[in-house]
Amino acid sequence: MKLEEQVELAKKASDELKLISNDLRNLALEKMSEALINNIEYILQENKKDILNATNLSTSMINRLRLSEDKIKSIASDVKSVKNLGDIIGETIEEISRPNGLIIKKIRVPFGVIAAIFESRPNVCVDISTLCIKTGNACILKGGKEAINTNRALVKIMKEAVSKYIPKDAITLIEDTSREAVNELILMRGKIDLVVPRGGKGLINHVVSNAKVPYIETGAGVCHIYIDDEADLKMAMKVLVNAKTSNPAVCNAVETLLVNEKIAAEFLPLISKNMPNVKLYGCEKTSKIIDCDTDVHFDYEYDDLMLSIKVVSDVFEAINHIKKYSTAHSESIITNNNEKAEIFLNSIDSACLYLNASTRFTDGGCFGFGAELGISTQKLHARGPMGLKEMTTYKYKIYGNGQIR
């Protein structure tokens, strides 16, 4: 089927979804969760094909791609978590009574058709489908070629599971993995209501530069941690190890470490001891304290076991560095000085700012949203993890009894 025909069917499905109750949408999600559990062997079989074909991917990217029985069970559990969240579609956000008797209600409604363009992580297929069903949106999924077999299997299972309760075309997979398919999607203004690119800087920049469909920038994460001279260094190392090594291929992993010069000689030697598998890139001051590669690029998102390091004089130099190189995703300060902490948190304009905590918490599940459409790094219309509310817009319903102007 041609891409344009698939989009037309998704648009029709989104119109039908507007009249389907939350109870039926929840039932569809319940059946979807059960179907994923019942088809674990099939999903793993298809995922294995993608793993065998992933000869050009790094180890960390292959780990993003790889599914296991436990991972599939966790994905299915997340579907139920979203199902159990409250229904927000149709809620009255605000009500205004005018002197002339008009009642104006601001009502939460779905966007309509949301197209997600993403790379590597097949669980994104399920996350986005789940959130879209819950919020009455139709979704168009455009994954990368590295996960095509897994994505195809997941979408097949989900469409069959929900087809008795909602339109099956509410979930649509674009199997054409070419850049041309992306170009076609992002020009379909009037048919697609929102495009969300989830991937590297190249994909996001391409969408931002060429889209005619409204979009939300997500994903690119050059995240920073600043270790202040008044930090608990034991806690600082614990946070750093988690932020870099727990899952280095995700957008909320730390890519740059900034260390106050007063504690650099004490703290930097601990890095190799606690993270021996991480390749270190450092500034000139760093190289005088520990062994590191001085060919450092502070604007680079590694998505791997690599870390850039810069020694700074104080919190203000750390802030200025972050302002220059950050992708406005997530930044953290480790300090026991509340005044410096507030200066850091208030001066930087990223979506998520942390005090004494890992950047890895920038996640819809960790924020209690059940799942996420993506991590928005822009200011309109959403910032940070995008849960149910961020997947909706609103319209006004005005009730009168013959008023004229």
Side-chain angles (χ1 to χ4, degrees):
M1 186 183 298
K2 292 182 179 180
L3 189 149
E4 189 171 357
E5 293 175 359
Q6 288 183 283
V7 174
E8 289 286 357
L9 289 171
K11 185 68 173 174
K12 182 182 177 184
S14 78
D15 289 337
E16 294 175 22
L17 276 169
K18 294 173 185 175
L19 301 176
I20 292 176
S21 69
N22 181 59
D23 287 343
L24 276 180
R25 296 198 305 272
N26 280 343
L27 191 53
L29 292 176
E30 183 75 33
K31 297 301 179 183
M32 197 166 92
S33 177
E34 292 173 2
L36 291 169
I37 296 295
N38 293 336
N39 286 277
I40 287 177
E41 291 295 328
Y42 170 53
I43 297 169
L44 291 177
Q45 171 189 311
E46 296 304 300
N47 183 245
K48 186 176 180 180
K49 294 178 184 177
D50 290 328
I51 298 297
L52 292 173
N53 291 333
T55 54
N56 296 323
L57 296 182
S58 66
T59 300
S60 59
M61 294 302 284
I62 290 174
N63 288 337
R64 286 181 73 173
L65 177 60
R66 190 188 309 276
L67 293 178
S68 64
E69 182 175 342
D70 286 343
K71 183 68 182 291
I72 296 169
K73 287 179 179 179
S74 177
I75 292 170
S77 176
D78 289 342
V79 175
K80 285 192 175 182
S81 295
V82 172
K83 185 212 81 168
N84 292 331
L85 296 174
D87 180 26
I88 62 172
I89 298 303
E91 75 174 1
T92 300
I93 301 171
E94 184 179 0
E95 183 173 325
I96 305 165
S97 298
R98 300 298 298 147
N100 64 359
L102 284 178
I103 304 298
I104 303 171
K105 293 185 177 182
K106 186 178 184 180
I107 305 297
R108 192 180 301 281
V109 296
F111 269 108
V113 179
I114 297 177
I117 305 168
F118 55 96
E119 300 166 347
S120 295
R121 300 171 65 188
N123 62 293
V124 171
C125 256
V126 182
D127 288 349
I128 293 175
S129 299
T130 301
L131 288 167
C132 281
I133 291 171
K134 182 68 177 178
T135 52
N137 291 291
C139 64
I140 294 174
L141 306 165
K142 168 67 177 68
K145 63 182 179 181
E146 67 282 348
I148 184 60
N149 293 294
T150 313
N151 289 339
R152 188 185 291 126
L154 289 170
V155 171
K156 179 176 182 290
I157 291 164
M158 291 189 294
K159 286 173 77 80
E160 289 176 355
V162 305
S163 61
K164 290 183 180 179
Y165 311 100
I166 64 172
K168 63 182 179 64
D169 292 312
I171 305 172
T172 298
L173 177 68
I174 305 300
E175 295 194 24
D176 181 351
T177 60
S178 67
R179 176 59 64 89
E180 288 71 26
V182 173
N183 292 338
E184 195 173 346
L185 278 174
I186 64 178
L187 297 178
M188 289 187 174
R189 188 175 180 88
K191 297 180 180 179
I192 295 173
D193 297 288
L194 182 68
V195 169
V196 181
R198 289 186 56 167
K201 187 184 293 184
L203 169 64
I204 293 168
N205 288 343
H206 179 77
V207 172
V208 169
S209 300
N210 296 283
K212 290 187 177 180
V213 175
Y215 59 81
I216 290 180
E217 295 180 59
T218 74
V222 180
C223 302
H224 300 76
I225 292 178
Y226 167 58
I227 311 297
D228 186 51
D229 59 306
E230 296 183 70
D232 178 331
L233 298 190
K234 184 176 180 180
M235 178 180 68
M237 183 55 64
K238 181 176 71 171
V239 169
L240 176 62
V241 170
N242 176 264
K244 180 72 262 184
T245 67
S246 61
N247 195 344
V250 293
C251 62
N252 57 23
V254 68
E255 303 291 17
T256 297
L257 173 68
L258 305 172
V259 180
N260 189 287
E261 62 186 9
K262 293 178 182 177
I263 51 94
E266 180 182 358
F267 186 78
L268 291 179
L270 301 174
I271 296 175
S272 295
K273 179 180 177 181
N274 287 274
M275 300 190 298
N277 296 326
V278 176
K279 181 173 176 57
L280 304 178
Y281 296 84
C283 67
E284 185 178 346
K285 289 181 180 179
T286 302
S287 68
K288 291 179 180 178
I289 300 173
I290 58 172
D291 290 332
C292 63
D293 190 325
T294 55
D295 185 25
V296 59
H297 301 279
F298 289 114
D299 60 347
Y300 194 73
E301 183 179 13
Y302 295 113
D303 286 332
D304 208 340
L305 289 171
M306 302 174 184
L307 181 68
S308 297
I309 305 172
K310 181 178 176 64
V311 175
V312 295
S313 57
D314 55 25
V315 67
F316 297 102
E317 186 179 353
I319 289 168
N320 288 333
H321 178 96
I322 293 170
K323 286 181 176 180
K324 182 176 181 179
Y325 294 106
S326 172
T327 54
H329 193 296
S330 301
E331 331 294 349
S332 181
I333 179 172
I334 312 300
T335 184
N336 289 324
N337 184 307
N338 290 332
E339 183 179 352
K340 284 192 279 188
E342 288 304 313
I343 290 172
F344 183 94
L345 298 175
N346 293 331
S347 298
I348 298 170
D349 203 18
S350 295
C352 299
L353 283 302
Y354 292 88
L355 168 61
N356 295 333
S358 170
T359 56
R360 289 279 286 110
F361 285 106
T362 303
D363 173 85
C366 292
F367 277 32
F369 300 163
E372 70 190 32
L373 180 63
I375 308 295
S376 172
T377 55
Q378 65 185 44
K379 297 182 181 181
L380 296 175
H381 93 115
R383 298 196 85 184
M386 294 178 62
L388 299 183
K389 288 184 178 179
E390 289 74 27
M391 295 181 66
T392 65
T393 182
Y394 57 83
K395 64 184 179 184
Y396 290 96
K397 294 181 180 179
I398 302 94
Y399 299 86
N401 55 5
Q403 288 88 341
I404 61 172
R405 180 176 178 178

